[in-house]
Amino acid sequence: MSAEINVAQLEIWLGDGQELAIFDVREHGEYGLGHLFFAVPLPYSRLELDVTRLAPSYRARIVVYDDGYSRVAAAAVRRLTALGYQQVYLLAGGTQAWSAAGYALFEGVNLPSKTFGEQVEAIRHTPAISALALHQHLQRQEPLLIVDGRPFSEYQKMSIPGSICCPNGELSVRINGLLADESTPIVVNCAGRTRSIIGAQTLIDLGIKNPVYALENGTQGWMLADYPLEHGQTRRYADDTAINPDRRSHASALAEAAGASWVSPEQVKSWIAAQDSVYLLDVRTETEFLDGTLPGAQHAPGGQLQQATDQYVGVRNARLVLLDTENVRAPVTAYWLQQMGHKAYILQGGIEAGLREQIQLDLNPSVAPVLARISVKQLREWQRSRPLRIWDIRSSQDYRNGHIPGSVWISRPHRIDADVSDVVIISDDPQQAAWLAVEGHPLGWLEGGVATWLEAGGEVDVTPDSPPDAERIDYLFFTHDRHQGNKAAARQYLAWEQGLWQRLHPSEKKALNPLAVKKW
């Protein structure tokens, strides 16, 4: 069913402990400029592509909103209902009503995770080292291990000189292979604050004997101190690192202290059969994931799952079942997720037990409408012989970088219920193009997109200023160049991050519960 609810009802639901998804269906740029604290981004342009992963149960209670003025939320309610979701509600007035009720709207992304990191530092007094102090240490050439807790792709873009890439999710099992002794200080960094804090506190809570520090403000703090960053580095942990024999017991103690539970394969299967919202989250490396995982599992490396939970999990109070092979990474991840207000479980026996007992999460994605495939030759003939519109639904940045002459950039929310009978769609993703067809009957999709056009000898127009910034609702401008040397943007971002907790409503603060003292 679908219905309309008000802010007061949503506030009640946020505190009732039942499954609840709050989807902001505006485009990424609009979401990033002001959204509800617990909202999960589900842009209307990608709704059918992402919703099954974010909301795996059709019985989940879902609230959808926009700014209160546009038609996109109402359209999303219709689409979700048509896809089979049984409890879909429209938040009356959207962000305007939420703000009028006294709640803050938050810029940026991954708000719960970042706010939680700030609270961990405040409550646990996570040791930190400034860029100046670290630079002086390096100048003295004293023993030191700098660990970059971000994924390798981020590490390669910019890194602290001499640092080694070891993503936070791997720290618990790889750190010993990077250390020469138990006295060398360890510094954990990321691009800003959250992963530095959580990475350092993870090592401390695991009982690492070495002194451990978070680099204050990460690579941004380093840049603000006018120290040079490295680019394109390839230093990383060794894949064959042996696991410290005490690490399993320490990881288990952490999980239990936070209230996370071990769960049997039989129990997980019963949850799935009951159509509860269950997430199978494989916290291992991408290589391990690709070598074999459970059907329906997401690759959610532990550090990123903590840093950006809303990119993997759309339903609060759902069951998050964490998978590994060694009973270290999953318990450590559960330790943090439980403190963030999630119901975290570690699968007994890990991946192997899940495969043996045939745990399977059938996400059953909806089938996109059949869309005619158009060749470059056919498109050129139509351009010469008939009235024709060419809609490019790729990102606005891709359109600026090069598009087929005569095509226009289109965002799906701006074309709800539009006549598309004379339209050819340009997209790199045929599924995304096909889902646009549910709102009409376009002529078809240019097979292979712009790449095929170029291969056939076609030229493209490059328009650095078109579409204009004001129309680029898919692009988040919020401190977007803080990693490209813009010190003002970096300062703005860091101030925003450190001020998140103070802006929360009391009811929002209740959901985040970092442990105040060591209980293990």
Side-chain angles (χ1 to χ4, degrees), residues 88-333:
V88 185
Y89 303 87
L90 175 69
L91 177 61
T95 56
Q96 300 301 316
W98 188 255
S99 180
Y103 290 89
L105 294 173
F106 291 87
E107 308 87 355
V109 296
N110 311 137
L111 267 296
S113 300
K114 293 180 182 295
T115 308
F116 175 75
E118 294 301 314
Q119 275 304 95
V120 168
E121 183 189 53
I123 291 176
R124 298 298 307 283
H125 307 291
T126 307
I129 185 171
S130 67
L132 172 61
L134 177 58
H135 185 263
Q136 291 174 341
H137 200 118
L138 291 173
Q139 292 293 100
R140 293 192 297 269
Q141 298 184 346
E142 297 172 350
L144 182 70
L145 173 63
I146 306 175
V147 177
D148 192 312
R150 300 171 298 163
F152 188 62
S153 58
E154 290 187 52
Y155 169 77
Q156 286 193 301
K157 292 178 182 178
M158 71 277 186
S159 57
I160 304 297
S163 63
I164 297 175
C165 179
C166 185
N168 275 5
E170 297 298 305
L171 279 175
S172 58
V173 292
R174 314 290 184 184
I175 191 64
N176 288 89
L178 300 174
L179 286 168
D181 52 49
E182 295 180 345
S183 62
T184 299
I186 304 171
V187 176
V188 181
N189 81 270
C190 63
R193 296 180 53 79
T194 308
R195 286 170 289 186
S196 301
I197 295 166
I198 297 300
Q201 196 63 53
T202 294
L203 295 179
I204 293 169
D205 290 353
L206 281 170
I208 297 295
K209 296 181 180 180
N210 305 66
V212 180
Y213 305 91
L215 176 58
E216 186 177 343
N217 299 330
T219 57
Q220 290 178 92
W222 189 263
M223 179 267 292
L224 287 171
D226 292 322
Y227 300 133
L229 291 163
E230 293 183 332
H231 303 279
Q233 294 300 313
T234 59
R235 295 181 296 265
R236 58 193 306 175
Y237 65 85
D239 289 322
D240 58 352
T241 305
I243 298 174
N244 185 302
D246 295 328
R247 199 56 47 80
R248 290 187 181 88
S249 60
H250 288 162
S252 296
L254 290 183
E256 292 167 8
S261 304
W262 296 81
V263 63
S264 68
E266 292 75 20
Q267 180 64 71
V268 175
K269 291 170 70 174
S270 71
W271 289 336
I272 295 173
Q275 299 183 50
D276 292 345
S277 292
V278 177
Y279 296 82
L280 301 179
L281 301 167
D282 189 331
V283 302
R284 303 173 301 161
T285 66
E286 183 178 20
T287 299
E288 292 173 290
F289 175 79
L290 295 175
D291 281 345
T293 191
L294 304 189
Q298 293 187 61
H299 180 227
Q304 292 305 100
L305 181 56
Q306 299 157 21
Q307 157 79 3
T309 312
D310 52 356
Q311 293 180 13
Y312 302 91
V313 176
V315 181
R316 291 193 64 79
N317 300 310
R319 304 184 191 276
L320 280 52
V321 180
L322 307 179
L323 316 170
D324 67 10
T325 51
E326 77 296 323
N327 294 331
V328 175
R329 287 171 289 185
V332 169
T333 306

Side-chain angles (χ1 to χ4, degrees), residues 16 64 100 129 225 329 425 487:
D16 67 10
V64 173
I129 185 171
R329 287 171 289 185
I425 299 172
K487 291 186 176 182

Side-chain angles (χ1 to χ4, degrees), residues 305-438:
L305 181 56
Q306 299 157 21
Q307 157 79 3
T309 312
D310 52 356
Q311 293 180 13
Y312 302 91
V313 176
V315 181
R316 291 193 64 79
N317 300 310
R319 304 184 191 276
L320 280 52
V321 180
L322 307 179
L323 316 170
D324 67 10
T325 51
E326 77 296 323
N327 294 331
V328 175
R329 287 171 289 185
V332 169
T333 306
Y335 167 67
W336 289 118
L337 292 176
Q338 192 74 22
Q339 295 177 71
M340 291 170 66
H342 297 285
K343 296 179 180 178
Y345 301 86
I346 308 106
L347 182 64
Q348 293 173 354
I351 295 288
E352 292 184 6
L355 291 170
R356 185 170 58 251
E357 300 300 325
Q358 298 182 323
I359 294 178
Q360 179 170 339
L361 183 61
D362 185 5
L363 294 180
N364 192 28
S366 300
V367 178
V370 176
L371 191 61
R373 295 171 180 263
I374 297 171
S375 67
V376 172
K377 179 181 179 181
Q378 180 68 71
L379 176 59
R380 286 171 170 162
E381 290 177 356
W382 282 350
Q383 285 180 302
R384 291 190 296 265
S385 64
R386 62 184 294 177
L388 186 69
R389 291 180 290 170
I390 304 175
W391 286 2
D392 191 325
I393 65 169
R394 299 174 302 154
S395 73
S396 59
Q397 188 60 53
D398 285 343
Y399 180 88
R400 281 183 167 191
N401 292 342
H403 55 270
I404 295 173
S407 65
V408 295
W409 180 69
I410 294 295
S411 177
R412 182 184 180 188
H414 289 164
R415 293 297 183 270
I416 296 171
D417 299 326
D419 177 18
V420 295
S421 59
D422 60 347
V423 170
V424 172
I425 299 172
I426 309 298
S427 175
D428 295 329
D429 185 343
Q431 290 294 306
Q432 188 171 14
W435 280 117
L436 189 67
V438 302

